Amino acid sequence: MCKVLPKSCYVFVLFIYLAGEVNLKNLSKSMNCSLGHVGGHCELPCRYPSYGNYCQKKCYCKKEYCDHVSGCRDCQPGSKGKGCEHNCTYPNYGVYCRSTCDCLEEECDYITGCEGKTNECTLTKDRKSSETMLSGTIVLGFIAVIQFILYVYLSIFYRPQPLYITHF
């Protein structure tokens, strides 16, 4: 094979490269290619999932997050997992899925959350929560009043009689 590729070999090498039949590391070594590039004239970027020096490292992320020079980039908002291969699951959304939706699952976008959508559900939940707390407070207050009345009644009308010991 050609040590320094003439123009006639360029098409042949490109075809073989795209077909995945040859390791371009050997062709690129003599050229001392920059990171993420291979070929007789270092003109070819590493193809997915390869990256780095002579394309010898491997990305474990989706193709769109793999940089041919440096490898996997940070996950985009709405993605999670070692290779950003999973979307956020409800109720989480956003960067690293760290934000939480406060709307219905159907209204929660795994990237943007509830933004631009109605929060009617949230208002309903808050209203129900307030009504539940108010009801609970009223019931507990009623129980406290009953206990107080019972205490007063028993302390006034039920006094234990002292025991007198008459026989020794």
Side-chain angles (χ1 to χ4, degrees), residues 9-27:
C9 288
Y10 179 79
V11 174
F12 174 73
V13 170
L14 182 61
F15 174 76
I16 292 174
Y17 171 74
L18 294 174
E21 296 294 326
V22 71
N23 181 350
L24 291 176
K25 177 180 178 183
N26 296 331
L27 293 174

Side-chain angles (χ1 to χ4, degrees), residues 2-14 17 24-45 54:
C2 312
K3 282 258 184 196
V4 175
L5 295 175
K7 288 186 181 191
S8 61
C9 288
Y10 179 79
V11 174
F12 174 73
V13 170
L14 182 61
Y17 171 74
L24 291 176
K25 177 180 178 183
N26 296 331
L27 293 174
S28 304
K29 274 189 176 179
S30 63
M31 296 297 293
N32 198 16
C33 294
S34 62
L35 289 177
H37 293 87
V38 292
H41 300 286
C42 302
E43 71 282 0
L44 301 171
Y54 302 117

